[in-house]
């Protein structure tokens, strides 16, 4: 543990050639070449890590689709990218990941554009300090971080498979998780309890949603391999970055923790590096169902490696969403 901490603080490169101090621009400059044929959807791209991911990928010529709950913020990010890179193609569409009907509308609008889809980055995150319910009457952190991205991925998966088959270029899905997934405890990780917890704890809810993100990636990767679909699915931990995700979780304790941990915090460009690495690097070609941090493959928690639990979660989620969509 001490050795790993020293390596992290020093930014020592791992097997990939990158480490904790690597920025997204450095990764893309080394790993990726301009390719205007690619299209990427990046949730949560109106601020923080998502906005930096969009900016950096747009520099390479990738067409960027930004699903935004707040269109004003989306337009601001679009203008900033275009100011730096006037040739960038940025498409802004409205979405609320806490609403199944909104996700359906977004997917219908995107698919009606008849564009390819090469990269899907499920980056948006919610850390609700107090118990809130989504439009589907589901706890908001779980609804936004996991259920919304699950449905979004399901509705776009055939387009990704079709694009990969037509172009011969592997599609990539990246679920942005967190090392905090390891805080989720098995006796609390029950699907119905996570939908409507009787005793809400914000940190537990966030950890559970991030564990679900990894299990989703692992099970979907297994399914893609069985179907021989040329689309990979991986999960990443971006590092601890003080971004807008804690906007609902401010206060003395949170601010003190961030002050004490400041030596461990990443900048936003560093936080976006692992997402960009997994989404673009030739080193990750054909690799699926894995977990990455600091641009290197890492071990996740034992519950996150439970294939049976991953399948069970996928089945329960699929059944729940199908039932809600029939209403």
């Amino acid at each position: 543990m001490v050795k790993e901490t020293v390596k992290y603080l020093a930014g020592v490169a791992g097997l990939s050639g990158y480490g904790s101090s690597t920025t997204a621009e450095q990764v893309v400059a080394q790993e990726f070449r301009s390719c205007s044929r690619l299209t990427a959807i990046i949730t949560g791209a109106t601020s923080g890590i998502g906005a930096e991911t969009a900016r950096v990928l747009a520099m390479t010529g990738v067409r960027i689709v930004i699903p935004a709950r707040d269109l004003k913020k989306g337009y601001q990010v679009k203008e900033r990218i275009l100011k730096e890179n006037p040739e960038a193609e940025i498409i802004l569409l409205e979405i609320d990941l806490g609403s199944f009907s909104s996700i359906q509308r977004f997917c219908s609008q995107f698919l009606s554009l008849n564009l390819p889809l090469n990269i899907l980055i499920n980056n948006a995150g919610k850390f609700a300090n107090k118990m809130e319910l989504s439009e589907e009457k589901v706890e908001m952190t779980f609804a936004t971080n996991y259920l919304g991205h699950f449905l979004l991925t399901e509705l776009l998966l055939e387009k990704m498979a079709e694009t990969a088959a037509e172009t011969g270029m592997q599609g990539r899905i990246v679920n942005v998780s967190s090392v905090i997934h390891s805080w989720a405890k098995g006796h609390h990780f029950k699907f119905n309890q996570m939908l409507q917890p009787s005793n809400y704890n914000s940190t537990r809810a966030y950890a559970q949603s991030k564990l679900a993100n990894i299990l989703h990636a692992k099970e979907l990767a297994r399914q893609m391999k069985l179907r021989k679909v040329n689309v990979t699915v991986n999960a990443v931990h971006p590092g601890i970055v003080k971004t807008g995700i804690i906007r609902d979780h401010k206060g003395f304790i949170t601010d003190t923790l961030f002050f004490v941990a400041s030596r461990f915090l990443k900048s936003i460009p560093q936080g976006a590096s692992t997402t960009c690495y997994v989404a673009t690097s030739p080193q990750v070609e054909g690799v699926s169902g894995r977990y990455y941090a600091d641009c290197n493959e890492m071990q996740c928690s034992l519950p996150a490696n439970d294939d049976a639990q991953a399948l069970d979660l996928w089945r329960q989620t699929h059944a729940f969403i199908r039932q809600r969509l029939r209403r």
Side-chain angles (χ1 to χ4, degrees), residues 82-241:
L82 291 174
K83 185 176 181 180
E84 178 183 352
N85 180 11
E87 301 301 316
E89 185 176 354
I90 312 295
I91 298 171
L92 184 63
L93 297 173
E94 189 173 13
I95 196 172
D96 178 353
L97 284 166
S99 165
F100 289 174
S101 59
S102 177
I103 295 168
Q104 287 180 299
R105 282 195 299 273
F106 166 82
C107 291
S108 294
Q109 290 175 336
F110 171 74
L111 293 173
S112 71
L113 299 175
N114 293 316
L115 296 173
L117 181 56
N118 308 91
I119 300 169
L120 173 61
I121 299 176
N122 292 319
N123 166 82
K126 176 79 174 176
F127 193 150
N129 188 29
K130 297 179 180 179
M131 176 72 173
E132 300 176 42
L133 293 179
S134 71
E135 184 178 288
E136 311 299 328
K137 307 303 181 186
V138 173
E139 188 280 309
M140 189 64 81
T141 299
F142 191 66
T144 302
N145 296 357
Y146 172 64
L147 289 179
H149 283 125
F150 184 103
L151 176 58
L152 179 71
T153 303
E154 287 292 299
L155 295 177
L156 296 174
L157 200 52
E158 289 309 310
K159 170 56 71 173
M160 294 198 72
E162 176 187 298
T163 300
E166 290 177 352
T167 63
M169 292 186 292
Q170 189 170 80
R172 299 194 186 188
I173 299 172
V174 182
N175 283 357
V176 178
S177 181
S178 170
V179 69
I180 294 173
H181 80 272
S182 62
W183 297 4
K185 303 303 179 184
H187 61 284
H188 287 299
F189 197 78
K190 307 295 182 185
F191 188 71
N192 289 333
Q193 290 181 26
M194 292 187 288
L195 292 177
Q196 293 184 329
S198 56
N199 181 23
Y200 181 71
N201 177 284
S202 58
T203 302
R204 181 171 65 212
Y206 185 73
Q208 290 170 339
S209 72
K210 293 292 130 179
L211 172 56
N213 289 149
I214 299 176
L215 291 171
H216 177 217
K218 287 184 174 292
E219 172 56 23
L220 193 56
R222 185 188 70 83
Q223 293 183 19
M224 293 299 95
K225 289 177 184 176
L226 283 176
R227 291 174 51 189
K228 298 186 180 348
V229 174
N230 192 22
V231 175
T232 62
V233 195
N234 291 290
V236 304
H237 165 52
I240 307 300
V241 184

Side-chain angles (χ1 to χ4, degrees), residues 60-81:
T60 70
V62 174
R63 179 190 295 114
I64 303 295
V65 179
I66 298 177
R69 185 170 61 88
D70 188 330
L71 289 176
K72 183 179 178 180
K73 287 184 178 180
Y75 280 119
Q76 290 171 347
V77 170
K78 179 178 179 178
E79 290 305 308
R80 285 199 298 270
I81 293 174

Side-chain angles (χ1 to χ4, degrees), residues 46-67:
T46 57
S47 64
I49 292 170
E52 177 68 1
T53 302
R55 184 189 74 83
V56 171
L57 292 185
M59 289 171 55
T60 70
V62 174
R63 179 190 295 114
I64 303 295
V65 179
I66 298 177

